[in-house]
Amino acid sequence: MAVRAGGHNQAAMNGPKEKVLTLDTMNACVKRVEYAVRGPIVLRALELEQELRQGVKKPFTEVIRANIGDAHAMGQKPITFLRQVLALCVHPDLLNSPDFPEDAKRRAESILQACGGHSLGAYSNSSGIQPIREHVAQYIQRRDGGIPADPNNIFLSTGASDAIVTVLKLLVAGEGRGRTGVLIPIPQYPLYSAALAELNAVQVDYYLDEDRAWALDVAELRRALCQARGHCCPRALCIINPGNPTGARPPSPPQNLIRFGERLFLMSDEVYQDNVYAEGSQFHSFKKVLMEMGPPYSTQQELASFHSISKGYMGECGLRGGYVEVVNMDPAVQQQMQKLMSVRLCPPLPGQAVLDMVVSPPEPSDPSFTQFQAEKQAVLANLAAKAKLTEQVFNEVPGIRCNPVQGAMYSFPRIELPPRAIQRAK
Amino acid sequence: MAVRAGGHNQAAMNGPKEKVLTLDTMNACVKRVEYAVRGPIVLRALELEQELRQGVKKPFTEVIRANIGDAHAMGQKPITFLRQVLALCVHPDLLNSPDFPEDAKRRAESILQACGGHSLGAYSNSSGIQPIREHVAQYIQRRDGGIPADPNNIFLSTGASDAIVTVLKLLVAGEGRGRTGVLIPIPQYPLYSAALAELNAVQVDYYLDEDRAWALDVAELRRALCQARGHCCPRALCIINPGNPTGARPPSPPQNLIRFGERLFLMSDEVYQDNVYAEGSQFHSFKKVLMEMGPPYSTQQELASFHSISKGYMGECGLRGGYVEVVNMDPAVQQQMQKLMSVRLCPPLPGQAVLDMVVSPPEPSDPSFTQFQAEKQAVLANLAAKAKLTEQVFNEVPGIRCNPVQGAMYSFPRIELPPRAIQRAK
């Protein structure tokens, strides 16, 4: 009866001796996963913080964590309307309170109406609360100048990460040289490399051009694709639009990318769609570009586009809300995706509720409109000013060069080490 | 440059023609996943509901969904204290309101204190907010009669499902006959079969004994293990304690199970630990049993035990909160688990906040104590009465036999079709 990791038997029955699960016997794909956002630099920062607390003298007094886009942790205040409605949903007794505006109450009531037992504590459908999916579709349609969106193609998720991993999971297949390859930008957001390692897919790097403000070049995509073909089967192209962590503006013109990607499944990470700072630059969703190109692109090109409540002006990372819109996906595959999502039951309802407000904010005639707009614009203006400041400060430091931060929430400076420092390190 | 799923080239460059992602080219493991909880019966129920709404005459007027343990959807009211504190955390302006008890305010303040920027909108550590992990450890220690629990072995999760899948992911390895096998009970909660299919691990069924109130028998475990050895490498044993969907009481005596499992990684799904109805029966965690057995079990046997805020008296499914405690896990593997969890950033903060209250409820000296206890006991008494009622009603119907519902939230009746019905169906 005794069995251990290696599968061999042991006659002695005197209790467990060796671990079943060790570095040698565990999932090798998981071992290969790297995740720098929470890796050794973060661990070192934690040590430094602890030393400072213990009174150890340092040439600095504070550690500022810039490893992750976490606006509230950096002092950004939540948008009042979002939190009012969420509080009303969580504790409906407050619907009788005079301290909440009437449109917040109406909104909370309509969200609760769509929940099982009128409670955020019930499971929702696996793809999310139906009226919220409809509001997302209406939001996309407005954003994209009237190009229709179908609520049945919208799946709410636990932050964008969850949806990105789900789509990658569908794409993974094959063995050896037939393994799925996925083109991702370098520098990248490490969710992509981590998920691909875990799923045993092949990461195909394409490099953004630092000398041209991290521009995405079709020639470079072509190089990456050609080189990859020898050792895997490239099937998907991920684009982060605007760029994380480069702060690059949306790629232009995007039509070329779509033409390039016409035999690939397109994944467009658009969680920074509200964060475009470059003058004269504007966010265009890949869905919109695709649709405007007409057939066969608009009718055939497969696309998954991701959004979240964690960035933009909301910064509600901790609530874990987001969605994916799939376009031109094979209906049978879409059913499989729905099934796969149902295994995890449903995305957290507070995140779904806040997503509802983000895609369907107060209208000009609503009592909360003015405050909502003022808070939203103040956050976005503040982020834009910080983007400018970051670029300036970096470029004033000898040995550091930094591209303009044109979008998203990051800068990716280049640090030139002086020859003597390199000498010393050697 | 043109590449399609099969990897072959196409000279013509006139737009996408075939789908990259089809049933033939997608992840075959995902295709094999089955998930009955949201499968064909649920889809048929949705159809019936729609027909009823459209006025189609049926021999019934209502569809009652009994496919999932979703207490709030069935009319159970949330526990006031949990929702008060959560509302205060979501919208801290309410901390000035006279309508909230003082202990709810104190609790909300201490939770916010532990959040980045004092906001539920910030990411937490990937393993959860540190003081909440500590409260979970204290809860486990109290529950297990003083046996210590280490907060570093506690990982908060997005419901229990998330943590279960994470642990299974670590265990998956090998090829062909060396593939990881995982013993799961039949009848089971279909998360297990679904996750194993997705991860390409081998599901090893052991059957619970319907004639003995769905008892778990070591001889049957042994049969399952021996049979499995020919075609896989069994490495883990899952136990659902109390039983889902059988409603079975906790297994007794559990020491035999642990002795049986001494060369296996034990996974104990204990999300129904508050839901034990059988007279004279009591929940004992596997952690407690293991520790009381002394060395080498207490020092060597690997165990992961799961809990959640979705069941018990809370029923807060929609908030997706839970945790796993790992015991005797190889420290290097535990680091890998932490890394894996960090890729998904963090569990939703509202779920973490409510977990904090569940593991650390109001004390007798707190203003909310009386109401909290009254609400909790009312829910548990109601669930116990329903368990009894379900058993009675089923057993009054000719052709249906049902075991006593001794725990969890389910009954698993046997329906004997009359010979004439079978004849007719043929």
Side-chain angles (χ1 to χ4, degrees), chain A residues 277-297:
Chain A
Y277 315 118
E279 261 175 62
S281 186
Q282 212 185 333
F283 172 75
H284 291 289
S285 76
F286 270 85
K287 159 93 178 291
K288 182 176 184 222
V289 176
L290 194 68
M291 289 299 156
E292 287 176 345
M293 285 170 78
Y297 298 97

Side-chain angles (χ1 to χ4, degrees), chain A residues 174-395:
Chain A
E175 301 273 334
R177 291 173 57 177
R179 271 200 300 161
T180 292
V182 178
L183 281 87
I184 66 168
I186 302 293
Q188 57 130 2
Y189 174 52
L191 167 69
Y192 292 95
S193 51
L196 292 174
E198 188 191 320
L199 295 167
N200 201 22
V202 178
Q203 171 179 334
V204 179
D205 298 340
Y206 66 86
Y207 290 86
L208 302 173
D209 187 351
E210 185 172 6
D211 291 334
R212 295 194 300 121
W214 299 113
L216 199 173
D217 192 47
V218 170
E220 165 59 12
L221 283 174
R222 194 168 293 131
R223 179 209 60 76
L225 186 66
C226 288
Q227 237 170 287
R229 267 203 227 120
H231 62 275
C232 70
C233 174
R235 300 177 73 204
L237 167 61
C238 293
I239 291 168
I240 310 181
N241 162 34
N244 172 1
T246 57
R249 70 166 79 196
S252 166
Q255 289 81 357
N256 291 347
L257 293 180
I258 289 173
R259 274 185 216 106
F260 167 82
E262 67 188 17
R263 301 281 187 268
L264 298 168
F265 189 105
L266 274 184
M267 296 177 65
S268 185
D269 179 339
E270 299 181 330
V271 305
Y272 294 99
Q273 56 190 263
D274 288 318
N275 303 104
V276 179
Y277 315 118
E279 261 175 62
S281 186
Q282 212 185 333
F283 172 75
H284 291 289
S285 76
F286 270 85
K287 159 93 178 291
K288 182 176 184 222
V289 176
L290 194 68
M291 289 299 156
E292 287 176 345
M293 285 170 78
Y297 298 97
S298 59
T299 53
Q300 290 293 328
Q301 176 65 53
E302 295 151 272
L303 168 72
S305 150
F306 307 92
H307 193 18
S308 120
I309 61 171
S310 303
K311 312 299 168 185
Y313 58 93
M314 310 74 85
E316 294 283 9
C317 320
L319 303 183
R320 316 301 303 120
Y323 73 80
V324 55
E325 180 188 22
V326 295
V327 178
N328 294 326
M329 186 181 253
D330 181 322
V333 174
Q334 199 160 323
Q335 267 184 23
Q336 294 286 327
M337 184 164 98
Q338 180 138 18
K339 177 188 72 181
L340 187 59
M341 287 181 155
S342 74
V343 178
R344 307 300 155 77
L345 299 167
C346 70
L349 268 74
Q352 294 191 42
V354 168
L355 177 62
D356 187 62
M357 294 166 253
V358 169
V359 295
S360 174
E363 304 273 339
S365 58
D366 291 330
S368 301
F369 179 78
T370 313
Q371 187 182 354
F372 178 86
Q373 284 297 327
E375 290 179 0
K376 173 179 169 177
Q377 295 313 330
V379 170
L380 289 176
N382 185 24
L383 288 171
K386 282 185 185 161
K388 197 86 211 149
L389 184 67
T390 306
E391 176 196 340
Q392 276 171 3
V393 170
F394 273 134
N395 284 323

Side-chain angles (χ1 to χ4, degrees), chain B residues 134-397:
Chain B
E134 286 160 18
H135 293 159
V136 170
Q138 289 155 14
Y139 160 80
I140 294 172
Q141 188 159 340
R142 277 196 314 277
R143 181 198 69 189
D144 291 347
I147 293 166
D150 182 344
N152 293 318
N153 294 338
I154 314 273
F155 299 85
L156 307 197
S157 57
T158 308
S161 310
D162 167 42
I164 291 169
V165 172
T166 299
V167 172
L168 287 174
K169 235 179 235 173
L170 294 173
L171 282 159
V172 169
E175 301 275 333
R177 292 172 57 177
R179 271 200 299 161
T180 292
V182 177
L183 280 89
I184 66 168
I186 301 293
Q188 57 130 0
Y189 173 52
L191 167 68
Y192 292 95
S193 51
L196 293 173
E198 190 190 319
L199 294 168
N200 202 23
V202 179
Q203 171 180 335
V204 179
D205 298 340
Y206 66 86
Y207 290 86
L208 303 172
D209 187 351
E210 185 172 6
D211 291 334
R212 294 192 302 122
W214 299 114
L216 199 174
D217 193 46
V218 171
E220 165 59 12
L221 282 174
R222 195 167 293 131
R223 178 208 61 76
L225 185 65
C226 288
Q227 238 170 285
R229 269 204 227 119
H231 63 275
C232 71
C233 174
R235 302 177 72 204
L237 167 61
C238 293
I239 292 169
I240 310 179
N241 162 35
N244 172 2
T246 57
R249 71 164 78 194
S252 165
Q255 288 81 357
N256 291 347
L257 293 179
I258 289 173
R259 273 185 217 108
F260 167 82
E262 68 187 18
R263 300 282 187 266
L264 298 167
F265 189 105
L266 274 184
M267 296 176 65
S268 186
D269 179 340
E270 300 182 330
V271 304
Y272 294 99
Q273 55 190 264
D274 288 319
N275 303 103
V276 179
Y277 314 118
E279 262 175 61
S281 186
Q282 213 185 330
F283 171 76
H284 291 290
S285 75
F286 270 86
K287 159 92 178 293
K288 181 175 183 223
V289 176
L290 194 68
M291 289 299 155
E292 288 176 346
M293 285 170 78
Y297 298 97
S298 58
T299 53
Q300 289 293 328
Q301 176 65 52
E302 296 151 271
L303 167 73
S305 152
F306 307 92
H307 193 18
S308 120
I309 60 170
S310 303
K311 312 298 168 186
Y313 59 91
M314 310 74 85
E316 294 282 10
C317 319
L319 303 183
R320 317 301 302 118
Y323 73 79
V324 55
E325 181 190 20
V326 294
V327 178
N328 294 326
M329 186 181 254
D330 181 321
V333 174
Q334 199 160 322
Q335 267 183 23
Q336 294 286 327
M337 184 164 98
Q338 180 139 16
K339 177 188 71 179
L340 187 58
M341 286 179 156
S342 74
V343 178
R344 308 298 157 77
L345 299 166
C346 71
L349 269 75
Q352 294 191 42
V354 168
L355 178 63
D356 187 63
M357 294 166 251
V358 168
V359 296
S360 174
E363 303 273 339
S365 59
D366 291 331
S368 300
F369 179 77
T370 312
Q371 186 182 355
F372 178 86
Q373 284 297 326
E375 290 179 1
K376 172 179 170 176
Q377 295 313 330
V379 170
L380 290 175
N382 185 22
L383 287 171
K386 281 184 186 162
K388 197 89 211 144
L389 183 68
T390 305
E391 176 195 343
Q392 275 171 4
V393 170
F394 272 134
N395 284 322
E396 279 165 13
V397 180

Side-chain angles (χ1 to χ4, degrees), chain A residues 36-54:
Chain A
V37 170
R38 305 227 162 182
I41 295 178
V42 179
L43 294 179
R44 179 69 185 128
L46 283 167
E47 281 171 21
L48 289 173
E49 282 174 337
Q50 196 153 12
E51 288 174 29
L52 284 173
R53 267 198 303 275
Q54 290 162 351

